[in-house]
């Protein structure tokens, strides 16, 4: 009884504290409470002499009941935000919508910078691309302790394929077709970034792309909406985990909404012209998949959709995203996307751009300072709705609440955890394993690979001894000085064996020094001042002494990524000329090819014995590559984009729609859809990839030849490892709908499974076929539909080599 009285008294005391500190709504108030708890505990200990247990119990009980806020039920969150917003001025609400870049803050001018002043005045909602827990803690301290309401900031960063432990670029990750690996890579990225202050990542990038000229194809999962959707879900789950309240998870931001991968001619920042039918069937599914997986935020794209820039596009940001898809999180613009409504010529002023964007459904403005900078007057003068400002502000505050920033604004600056997790041996080991799963073996004549660790090996090419080129584009947190070069990776793999490794650079990336400077801008690689002839002569001298040549060649890392569109997507000239000379020596050559896009490899396929597509495989590239080359790992990557024969084939996808002048074979055929001078087929098909072992497929069977419209049938196949090594195969299910209301592709991926088999081992795989798996968005209502008629069910190791069975669905038409 007596303890009950204490409990009531203490609750009352706490209640009073709450009233007193009502104005300090955030961390400062929490600190006061912590202090209060300590006081209570000491007081109780004194009153009750040596009975520590009950005072402790009382304090714990109170603490638990007060921290129920952390249970984050929607009603509690609403109450908390209502209270907070009731105290906010219009200027403070608009401040929450403002996302400046950290720029001047990271330089150490924290206290004097403009951004710092804005933070103090409550005019900033978040910051991005600031690295390091100390810097972030200091900026957060300004927000929490020096602004009127102490609202914490969001800290964002482009953590798109790892933090300091860098995973392969997303295009490569998708080539693993291993969703667990992709999810794990995102989970590790989150574990590292969140220990270093970041709570929000601008990833996943899910833009479907049919054009290898576009440099940003490197940041997405390739050309296919089904594979892209699965990868998008895996990334969101990896970043966000089971709950954003867990401080080792961070909020995802699905981008670039929408259709950025379809920019005309593959030219960066260009416009998009797509009809709704193709949008819904080809391009939109991965965004929706990421949203259904719970992505907390969305980034509006730079490009137009239906002739209106995404950032100010109400159909896109409200009708589709919120009304049709039910998205509940917040929408941020891309970098200066808001002010660029003026460049697009749809708004005459920054204020007009801000009004249009807010009305369209934009909540946060990256860098333009349009929402924060212009809307106060517009609201006062009735040109902009105060309700819309409240709505956007609420969404930002909800994100902060869900991330736990109101509970502890420093929860993501964890020095101890940072030491343990960032670039930890365990993370690096996982990145190495995953990198080896992403490399795609395109050619391997006479089982040249794997190599034995013997004899003399010549390692040649401008990408063999570079650190900065390995992680790939958008590795903003990378620390290349801590990664190995390919040369170092092979040296350590060969240490203690009888094998000799010789090295020569052989060529610069390309002859054009200016182009090379642009392509290595962030890599800051030094161009070799020697003449092309002398570099080549040195390489040939080395190669002559070798039994086998490993040529490490291709693109430099900044030849893909943002603002890196190309029309020449074959081997850069200086490296091509070197390869031609090397091939003349008649020695076996393995090309380890680096690229952030699908490239044209015709000459290489014709003249070289082995080709391994290594993409850009992250911080552990060197060791992962050694694992593959010497057979510690067996290649299992399969292309998530087909490789063309010529850049002129773009836009180009295996999901070719049926046309009036069919040409399924792809060779020249007068008056059919084709070119005079090049086949329609790819050089390497979508889904393709070799292994050091071989797999046999049994005939595909269907559990029934007919199915009702809402029925279900199973397609099965047995796959056997017929070689002598354990290996992984990606079994792919495609469908074709030869007669539908809308024109359908000949083949479209609708399922896959990755399985690992020991030599001689067999496994049966089954895919369930039903309306979910077989339907499409019809061209009239854009509803998911399965129409009666025949469906071709195809299974195989890639989009070209499939077996087909016919399934009759519902009534035949
Ligand atoms: C890119 C975005 C990126 C943003 C912030 C923009 O230029 O288009 O993908 O998230 O910058 O770094």
């Amino acid at each position: 009884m007596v303890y009950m009285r204490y409990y009531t008294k203490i609750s009352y005391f706490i209640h009073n504290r709450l009233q007193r500190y009502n104005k300090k709504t955030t961390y400062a108030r929490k600190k006061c409470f912590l202090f209060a708890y300590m006081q209570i505990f000491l007081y109780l200990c004194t009153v009750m002499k040596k009975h520590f247990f009950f005072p402790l119990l009382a304090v714990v009980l109170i603490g638990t009941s007060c921290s129920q806020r952390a249970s984050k039920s929607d009603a509690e969150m609403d109450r908390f935000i209502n209270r907070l917003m009731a105290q906010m001025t219009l200027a403070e609400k608009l401040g929450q919508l403002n996302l400046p870049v950290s720029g001047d803050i990271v330089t150490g001018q924290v206290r004097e910078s403009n951004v710092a002043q804005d933070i103090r005045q409550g005019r900033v909602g978040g910051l991005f691309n600031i690295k390091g827990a100390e810097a972030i803690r200091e900026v957060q301290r300004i927000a929490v302790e020096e602004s009127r309401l102490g609202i914490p900031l969001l800290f964002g960063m482009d953590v798109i394929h790892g933090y300091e432990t860098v995973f392969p670029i997303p295009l490569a990750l998708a080539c693993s077709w291993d969703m667990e690996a992709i999810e794990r890579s995102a989970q590790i990225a989150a574990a590292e970034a969140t220990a270093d202050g970041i709570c929000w990542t601008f990833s996943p990038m899910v833009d479907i792309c049919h054009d290898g000229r576009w440099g940003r194809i490197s940041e997405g999962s390739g050309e296919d909406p089904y594979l892209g959707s699965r990868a998008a879900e895996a990334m969101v789950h990896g970043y966000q985990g089971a709950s954003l309240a867990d401080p080792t998870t961070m909020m995802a931001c699905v981008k670039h909404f929408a259709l950025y991968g379809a920019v005309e001619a593959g030219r960066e920042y260009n416009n998009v012209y797509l009809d709704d039918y193709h949008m819904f069937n080809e391009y939109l599914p991965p965004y929706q998949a990421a949203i259904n997986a719970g992505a907390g935020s969305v980034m509006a794209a730079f490009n137009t959709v239906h002739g209106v820039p995404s950032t100010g596009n109400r159909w896109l940001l409200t009708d589709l995203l919120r009304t049709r898809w039910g998205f509940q999180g917040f929408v941020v613009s891309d970098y200066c996307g808001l002010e660029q409504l003026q460049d697009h010529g749809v708004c005459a002023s920054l204020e007009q751009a801000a009004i249009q964007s807010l009305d369209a459904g934009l909540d946060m403005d990256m860098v333009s300072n349009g929402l924060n900078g212009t809307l106060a007057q517009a609201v006062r003068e009735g040109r902009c709705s105060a309700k819309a400002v409240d709505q956007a502000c609420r969404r930002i505050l909800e994100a902060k609440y869900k991330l736990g920033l109101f509970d502890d604004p420093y929860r993501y600056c964890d020095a101890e955890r940072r030491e343990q997790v960032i670039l930890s041996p365990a993370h690096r080991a996982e990145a190495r394993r995953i990198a080896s799963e992403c490399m795609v073996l395109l050619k391997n004549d006479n089982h040249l690979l794997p190599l034995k660790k013997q004899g003399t090996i010549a390692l040649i090419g401008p990408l063999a001894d570079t650190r900065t080129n390995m992680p790939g584009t958008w590795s903003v947190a990378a620390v290349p000085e801590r990664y190995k070069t390919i040369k170092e990776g092979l040296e350590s793999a060969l240490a203690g064996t009888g094998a000799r490794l010789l090295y020569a650079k052989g060529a610069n990336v390309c002859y054009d020094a200016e182009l090379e400077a642009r392509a290595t801008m962030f890599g800051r690689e030094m161009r070799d001042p020697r003449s092309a002839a002398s570099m080549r002569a040195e390489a040939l001298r080395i190669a002559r002494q070798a039994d086998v040549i490993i040529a490490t060649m291709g693109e430099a890392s900044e030849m893909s990524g943002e603002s890196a569109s190309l029309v020449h997507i074959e081997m850069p000239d200086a490296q091509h000329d070197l390869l031609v000379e090397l091939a003349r020596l008649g020695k076996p050559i393995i090309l380890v090819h680096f690229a952030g896009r699908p490239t044209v490899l015709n000459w290489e396929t014709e003249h070289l014995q082995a080709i391994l597509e290594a993409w850009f495989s992250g911080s552990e590239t060197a060791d992962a590559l050694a694992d593959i080359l010497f057979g510690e790992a067996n290649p299992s990557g399969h292309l998530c984009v087909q490789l063309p024969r010529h850049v002129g084939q773009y836009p180009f996808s295996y999901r070719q729609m049926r046309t009036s002048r069919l040409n399924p074979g792809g060779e020249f055929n007068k008056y059919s859809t084709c070119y005079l001078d090049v086949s329609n087929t790819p050089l390497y098909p979508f889904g393709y990839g070799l292994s050091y072992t071989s797999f046999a497929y049994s005939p595909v069977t269907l559990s029934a030849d007919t199915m009702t419209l809402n029925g279900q049938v199973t397609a099965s196949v047995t796959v056997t490892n017929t070689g002598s090594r354990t290996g992984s195969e990606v079994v792919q299910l495609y469908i074709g709908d030869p007669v539908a209301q809308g024109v359908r592709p000949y083949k479209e991926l609708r399922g896959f499974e990755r399985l690992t088999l020991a030599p001689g081992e067999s496994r049966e795989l089954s895919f369930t076929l039903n309306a979910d798996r077989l339907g499409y968005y019809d061209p009239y209502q854009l509803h998911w539909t399965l129409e009666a008629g025949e469906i071709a069910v195809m299974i195989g190791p890639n989009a070209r080599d499939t077996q087909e069975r016919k399934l009759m669905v519902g009534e035949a038409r």
Side-chain angles (χ1 to χ4, degrees):
M1 244 355 252
V2 66
Y3 296 121
M4 216 40 231
R5 260 204 332 268
Y6 283 126
Y7 184 84
T8 320
K9 216 168 150 186
I10 292 160
S11 299
Y12 181 71
F13 177 79
I14 300 247
H15 179 75
N16 279 343
R17 281 267 163 178
L18 238 170
Q19 299 294 316
R20 263 176 73 187
Y21 293 96
N22 209 15
K23 277 191 190 140
K24 281 274 173 205
T25 50
T26 59
Y27 189 63
R29 195 179 69 183
K30 259 209 121 181
K31 272 202 324 199
C32 294
F33 271 98
L34 213 63
F35 181 64
Y37 288 143
M38 278 171 59
Q39 281 182 323
I40 296 162
F41 182 65
L42 291 175
Y43 167 72
L44 286 175
C45 288
T46 330
V47 172
M48 296 187 200
K49 310 276 173 8
K50 303 229 160 52
H51 296 92
F52 285 98
F53 173 72
F54 290 105
L56 192 62
L57 183 68
V59 170
V60 168
L61 278 173
I62 295 159
T64 339
S65 68
C66 288
S67 71
Q68 284 307 310
R69 208 149 33 92
S71 78
K72 319 249 177 297
S73 84
D74 285 354
E76 280 170 300
M77 177 172 79
D78 289 349
R79 271 197 300 276
F80 176 81
I81 292 175
N82 289 344
R83 262 204 319 268
L84 179 53
M85 286 184 64
Q87 298 169 62
M88 293 174 79
T89 62
L90 175 61
E92 283 165 338
K93 287 176 186 167
L94 290 170
Q96 289 302 307
L97 320 189
N98 186 22
L99 179 69
V101 67
S102 66
D104 50 356
I105 285 204
V106 269
T107 61
Q109 305 298 313
V110 184
R111 303 201 60 79
E112 288 72 33
S113 72
N114 288 339
V115 181
Q117 288 305 343
D118 288 346
I119 294 172
R120 273 187 205 102
Q121 288 163 13
R123 306 302 298 258
V124 174
L127 270 190
F128 71 103
N129 288 355
I130 169 170
K131 189 183 176 199
E134 292 78 22
I136 290 178
R137 178 179 279 275
E138 173 55 9
V139 178
Q140 190 72 294
R141 194 196 59 71
I142 297 176
V144 169
E145 295 187 9
E146 298 183 26
S147 73
R148 191 178 75 91
L149 292 172
I151 300 174
L153 301 174
L154 288 174
F155 288 93
M157 188 186 262
D158 292 277
V159 184
I160 80 160
H161 54 113
Y163 193 67
E164 288 195 12
T165 301
V166 182
F167 290 87
I169 55 171
L171 188 72
L173 278 173
C175 290
S176 72
W177 298 56
D178 181 344
M179 299 305 120
E180 275 171 33
I182 293 178
E183 181 169 338
R184 184 76 188 121
S185 74
Q187 204 175 53
I188 290 175
E192 293 195 7
T194 54
D196 212 15
I198 302 299
C199 57
W200 181 30
T201 178
F202 304 137
S203 176
M205 191 278 219
V206 304
D207 306 326
I208 294 298
C209 181
H210 295 177
D211 200 327
R213 291 171 295 183
W214 193 49
R216 300 199 81 168
I217 195 171
S218 57
E219 297 175 50
S221 297
E223 68 178 73
D224 183 75
Y226 183 85
L227 177 60
S229 299
R230 302 295 77 80
E233 289 159 358
M235 284 198 190
V236 172
H237 290 145
Y239 291 133
Q240 298 196 163
S243 162
L244 287 176
D246 173 350
T248 65
T249 64
M250 60 186 170
M251 182 172 283
C253 182
V254 54
K255 70 186 188 184
H256 303 83
F257 192 61
L259 320 176
Y260 189 20
V263 283
E264 196 180 39
R267 203 177 72 235
E268 184 65 308
Y269 312 130
N270 208 355
N271 290 326
V272 168
Y273 309 99
L274 267 183
D275 59 46
D276 285 355
Y277 178 63
H278 288 97
M279 273 186 213
F280 273 78
N281 283 295
E282 315 281 316
Y283 288 85
L284 292 177
Y287 304 102
Q288 193 179 6
I291 285 156
N292 290 344
S297 63
V298 166
M299 186 185 292
F302 287 129
N303 55 273
T304 52
V305 171
H306 292 151
V308 179
S310 305
T311 314
N313 190 319
R314 192 172 166 83
W315 175 80
L316 188 70
L317 301 188
T318 297
D319 300 351
L320 177 65
L321 182 64
R322 295 196 184 276
T323 312
R324 183 164 174 154
W325 290 354
F327 176 64
Q328 302 280 332
F330 72 91
V331 182
V332 63
S333 77
D334 202 344
Y335 204 111
C336 293
L338 187 148
E339 68 187 55
Q340 288 165 5
L341 261 61
Q342 298 166 91
D343 305 312
H344 271 113
V346 296
C347 290
S349 66
L350 187 62
E351 184 199 86
Q352 204 187 335
I355 294 172
Q356 177 169 334
S357 302
L358 188 78
D359 177 61
L362 188 81
D363 303 300
M364 194 173 223
D365 166 12
M366 188 188 283
V367 181
S368 299
N369 196 24
L371 300 181
N372 171 58
T374 69
L375 290 188
Q377 197 174 345
V379 170
R380 279 193 294 271
E381 291 170 8
R383 288 190 301 283
C384 171
S385 126
K387 226 166 125 196
V389 173
D390 279 1
Q391 180 64 268
C393 173
R394 177 175 293 277
R395 289 183 185 134
I396 306 298
L397 295 175
E398 283 174 356
K400 294 181 177 183
Y401 186 94
K402 288 178 185 156
L403 285 162
L405 288 167
F406 289 110
D407 292 334
D408 176 2
Y410 306 111
R411 68 200 307 252
Y412 298 98
C413 302
D414 187 336
E416 203 180 311
R417 190 159 70 80
R418 184 183 141 162
E419 287 314 305
Q420 287 163 8
V421 300
I422 295 188
L423 211 56
S424 69
H427 285 179
R428 297 190 77 157
E430 296 229 43
R432 175 175 179 167
R433 176 184 64 81
I434 292 173
S436 72
E437 281 190 9
C438 299
M439 296 180 187
V440 184
L441 184 62
L442 295 174
K443 186 176 179 194
N444 193 21
D445 280 0
N446 306 320
H447 301 287
L448 177 58
L449 286 172
L451 291 176
K452 295 209 169 60
K453 292 181 179 177
Q454 65 186 34
T456 302
I457 300 170
L459 177 66
I460 293 174
L463 299 171
D465 197 22
T466 147
R467 243 172 267 288
T468 51
N469 273 303
M470 292 300 106
T473 187
W474 280 115
S475 321
V476 290
V479 282
E481 62 282 6
R482 297 191 59 189
Y483 312 147
K484 285 184 193 165
T485 67
I486 304 293
K487 180 164 164 281
E488 289 164 347
L490 300 198
E491 277 165 357
S492 53
L494 293 174
T497 68
R500 201 159 64 112
L501 186 75
L502 305 176
Y503 161 74
K505 184 168 179 181
N508 278 309
V509 171
C510 53
Y511 292 127
D512 182 342
E514 201 180 310
L515 175 60
E516 182 163 338
R518 281 187 229 147
T520 51
M521 190 164 67
F522 301 110
R524 284 178 227 96
E525 287 291 315
M526 290 290 291
R527 187 173 164 86
D528 201 307
R530 289 176 292 167
S531 74
S534 75
M535 289 171 79
R536 201 176 306 155
E538 182 195 48
L540 291 170
R541 184 168 48 73
I542 298 274
R544 277 192 200 97
Q545 302 169 46
D547 304 309
V548 61
I549 299 167
I550 301 177
T552 42
M553 299 186 183
E555 296 187 341
S557 80
E558 294 307 319
M559 286 166 90
S560 60
E562 185 168 356
S563 197
S565 293
L566 284 176
V567 296
H568 294 290
I569 58 165
E570 58 286 345
M571 182 68 78
D573 48 14
Q575 298 180 73
H576 170 77
D577 291 354
L578 172 62
L579 262 184
V580 171
E581 295 287 328
L582 288 171
R584 286 208 180 107
L585 299 178
K587 312 227 174 195
I589 299 181
I590 298 149
L591 171 64
V592 175
H593 186 249
F594 290 87
R597 56 160 52 76
T599 52
V600 173
L601 292 169
N602 297 334
W603 185 92
E604 294 76 3
T605 299
E606 210 176 307
H607 294 92
L608 307 179
Q609 289 69 36
I611 304 177
L612 181 71
E613 183 55 76
W615 310 111
F616 289 101
S617 290
S619 52
E620 312 312 310
T621 302
D623 287 331
L625 183 61
D627 292 344
I628 294 272
L629 292 177
F630 299 114
E632 305 296 331
N634 190 349
S636 58
H638 286 247
L639 295 173
C640 66
V641 277
Q642 59 185 7
L643 302 193
R645 296 173 188 276
H646 193 280
V647 69
Q649 291 175 295
Y650 282 126
F652 187 42
S653 161
Y654 86 92
R655 294 175 103 261
Q656 166 71 48
M657 295 286 171
R658 292 167 181 273
T659 67
S660 59
R661 302 268 174 126
L662 300 181
N663 184 355
E667 301 312 316
F668 176 71
N669 184 2
K670 193 78 176 163
Y671 304 121
S672 75
T673 173
C674 58
Y675 300 102
L676 274 179
D677 55 351
V678 74
S679 157
N680 288 347
T681 59
L683 185 62
Y684 292 101
F686 175 81
Y688 178 85
L690 301 174
S691 163
Y692 294 155
T693 190
S694 48
F695 298 96
Y697 284 62
S698 73
V700 171
T701 57
L702 298 181
S703 60
D705 294 337
T706 56
M707 186 183 108
T708 57
L709 284 171
N710 54 6
Q712 184 166 303
V713 160
T714 306
S716 306
V717 71
T718 299
V719 181
T720 306
N721 181 343
T722 49
S724 54
R725 281 170 179 266
T726 296
S728 299
E729 173 69 324
V730 178
V731 182
Q732 299 157 38
L733 168 78
Y734 296 87
I735 64 157
D737 187 350
V739 184
Q741 289 185 78
V743 173
R744 302 303 305 138
Y746 293 100
K747 273 186 184 180
E748 49 184 317
L749 184 75
R750 285 299 172 88
F752 60 87
E753 200 154 322
R754 196 184 141 95
L755 72 172
T756 301
L757 297 174
E761 190 184 349
S762 295
R763 193 157 329 145
E764 188 189 40
L765 286 184
S766 295
F767 296 95
T768 303
L769 308 177
N770 53 22
D772 280 351
R773 178 98 69 181
L774 303 177
Y776 77 114
Y777 290 99
D778 76 81
Y780 301 108
Q781 307 294 326
L782 297 172
H783 288 155
W784 189 259
T785 322
L786 176 61
E787 295 169 11
E790 186 183 289
I791 296 273
V793 177
M794 296 164 270
I795 295 185
N798 61 62
R800 184 188 60 200
D801 306 317
T802 51
Q803 304 176 43
E804 184 176 319
R805 293 286 168 274
K806 301 248 182 284
L807 174 68
M808 188 55 75
V809 176
E811 302 280 307
R813 289 203 296 140

